[in-house]
Amino acid sequence: MKDPSLRRSFALFRAFLHEQDDPDACYSLLARDAVDQVEAYGGPVVGRTVVDVGGGSGYFTEEFRRRGAHAFLFEPDVRELGQKPPDSAVIADGYLLPLYDSVADVAFSSNVLEHVDDPQTFLSELVRVTRPGGLIYVSFTNWLSPWGGHEWAPWHYFGAEWARARYRRRTGKPAKHTLGENLFAVHIGPTLRQVRARDDVTVVSARSRYWPFLAETVVKAPGIREVATWNLLLVLRRCPP
C-alpha cells in the first residue's frame, strides 16, 4: 500500500479495531507496513543486521527475517513474548543492551518510547548499537494524541486516574497501563528538540506514522502536532564518530 494514502491508513485503522480479538492479523499488517517504511528510507534489509528493541511477541522480528535480514529481538518483559517467541529472543533492558557498539545496520523500536521513564537514555542506547551510516527507526504514541492513554483513551484528556477508574468500571478489570509506571507522558516538541540537538545522529524524517497525507507537514505545526500527529515516527541516521 502506498505510504501515505487513505487506503493504507484505513487498512491500519481497521486492523487496530481488532487488536484484541485478532492480534495476529493486526500486528502482522503493522509489521509489514513498518518494514516497508524501513526499506523506503534505508533500502532492502536482506543480509542486514536488525536489532528489534521492545518488539513484544516478535511480529516485527519475524517480518525482518522473512525479508532476509538477520534480525534479533530484545524484550525486557518475558510476559510480552507470548507463547512462541522468535528463536534467539533475548530478555534485555533497552537501557543497557547486551551488544557491542555499532553492531546493527538497523535499530528498530515500535511504540516503545512512551513506555520508558527515560526516553533519551533509551534513544542513546539505540544509537550506540547502530553502525555509522545505519538507520534508527523509532515510533511512539505521544501523550496528547487521541490514543495517548492507550486502552483508557481518549478519556486520558480528563486525567489519567479518572480514565483508569472508568476503564475498570466499564470492563470489570484493571487497566494494563499506569501513568508513571509503565506509561509516560512523552511529547513531540521536546522529543524533536532533544533529538535535533544530538551530534551523533541526523534526522532523516520526522513524520506521522499513520497519517494519510502531509505526514511530515503535520509534525511541523507546534501545538497542533501534539494532538493531530497521533503517532510520531523518527527515522534517524547514525553519524560517523
Side-chain angles (χ1 to χ4, degrees), residues 49 71 78 134 230:
T49 298
V78 66
W230 193 286

Side-chain angles (χ1 to χ4, degrees), residues 28 31 35 52 55 57-69 71-73 84-87:
S28 294
V35 180
D52 177 9
S57 54
Y59 287 98
F60 300 105
T61 297
E62 295 288 15
E63 181 62 23
F64 277 114
R65 289 178 179 178
R66 191 183 70 79
R67 302 196 194 190
F72 303 92
L73 173 62
K84 294 182 179 180
D87 294 339

Side-chain angles (χ1 to χ4, degrees), residues 147-224:
W147 196 245
H150 285 48
E151 72 272 25
W152 26 277
W155 305 102
H156 64 295
Y157 288 129
F158 298 94
E161 290 306 312
W162 185 88
R164 291 186 76 253
R166 180 187 180 279
Y167 178 88
R168 181 156 195 161
R169 289 194 304 270
R170 186 172 61 85
T171 65
K173 59 183 181 181
K176 176 181 179 180
H177 297 100
T178 301
L179 189 66
E181 293 183 11
N182 59 358
L183 181 64
F184 299 88
V186 184
H187 302 286
I188 291 175
T191 302
L192 287 176
R193 288 191 291 272
Q194 290 163 352
V195 168
R196 287 168 175 160
R198 301 182 67 110
D199 60 5
D200 52 3
V201 295
T202 57
V203 179
V204 177
S205 181
R207 53 164 290 184
S208 171
R209 184 176 181 180
Y210 309 126
W211 200 248
F213 49 85
L214 301 176
E216 292 189 344
T217 301
V218 68
V219 176
K220 296 176 181 178
I224 294 172

Side-chain angles (χ1 to χ4, degrees), residues 94-138:
Y95 292 140
L96 191 62
L97 295 169
L99 293 169
Y100 290 114
D101 295 353
S102 305
V103 296
D105 297 297
V106 178
F108 178 90
S109 178
S110 174
N111 295 334
V112 177
L113 203 66
E114 72 267 33
H115 299 294
V116 300
D117 188 24
D118 186 352
Q120 291 310 303
T121 297
F122 182 84
L123 284 170
S124 292
E125 190 67 350
L126 295 182
V127 174
R128 180 187 69 80
V129 302
T130 305
R131 66 167 177 81
L135 215 63
I136 300 109
Y137 176 110
V138 179

